[in-house]
């Protein structure tokens, strides 16, 4: 258990630093209103989790320490949107379209409402 936690923490730390550096680089060259740094981070995170899951499955390593480091740690530290994307992909692959759409819709709506509530309560 301690080993798993350390792998997640190490991967998460690296992912968080890379997220920050992504924002720094994008903001250096892009200054428009569209949140490009977050958008690119989310899309790149989705690509990376797909690559990691596919590679781990292909090499029969999906239940090992690399899963905790790369998927839960690194991708979780870089962006949880990657997990959201992968979970919806899995639901769609398992013919759970309604659940996927419900998850997407409620995550966006309730997420925005929660941000509004948090801001309201903080004031």
């Amino acid at each position: 258990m301690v080993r798993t936690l350390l792998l997640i923490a190490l991967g998460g730390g690296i992912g968080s630093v890379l997220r920050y550096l992504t924002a720094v680089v994008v903001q250096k060259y892009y200054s428009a209103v569209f949140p490009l740094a977050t958008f690119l981070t989310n899309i790149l995170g989705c690509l990376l989790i797909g690559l990691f899951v596919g590679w781990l499955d292909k090499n029969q390593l999906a239940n090992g320490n690399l899963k905790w480091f790369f998927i839960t740690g690194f991708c979780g530290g870089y962006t949880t949107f990657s997990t959201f994307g992968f979970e919806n992909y899995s639901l769609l692959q398992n013919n759970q379209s309604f659940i996927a759409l419900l998850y997407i819709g409620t995550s966006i709506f309730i997420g925005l409402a929660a941000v509004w509530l948090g801001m309201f309560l903080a004031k």
Side-chain angles (χ1 to χ4, degrees):
M1 175 73 150
V2 172
R3 180 183 201 170
T4 300
L5 293 176
L6 290 173
L7 288 167
I8 292 168
L10 179 61
I14 293 168
S16 295
V17 169
L18 185 58
R19 179 185 181 113
Y20 169 75
L21 292 174
T22 301
V24 167
V25 169
V26 169
Q27 289 170 0
K28 181 176 180 179
Y29 298 102
Y30 177 83
S31 62
V33 175
F34 184 80
L36 185 62
T38 301
F39 177 77
L40 290 176
T41 297
N42 288 338
I43 300 306
L44 183 56
C46 287
L47 174 65
L48 289 173
I49 202 168
L51 288 170
F52 292 148
V53 169
W55 184 80
L56 291 170
D57 282 347
K58 178 182 171 185
N59 293 291
Q60 300 176 347
L61 299 169
N63 294 323
N65 292 327
L66 292 175
K67 173 187 172 190
W68 299 118
F69 178 81
F70 284 114
I71 296 170
T72 305
F74 179 80
C75 286
Y78 190 60
T79 174
T80 57
F81 189 79
S82 59
T83 302
F84 176 74
F86 179 70
E87 288 170 343
N88 280 292
Y89 171 83
S90 295
L91 287 168
L92 292 169
Q93 288 297 306
N94 290 313
N95 296 315
Q96 299 290 324
S97 300
F98 176 76
I99 299 296
L101 292 173
L102 181 67
Y103 182 31
I104 292 166
T106 56
S107 293
I108 292 169
F109 179 75
I110 294 173
L112 289 171
V115 169
W116 176 85
L117 179 62
M119 297 292 286
F120 176 79
L121 292 173
K123 291 178 182 180

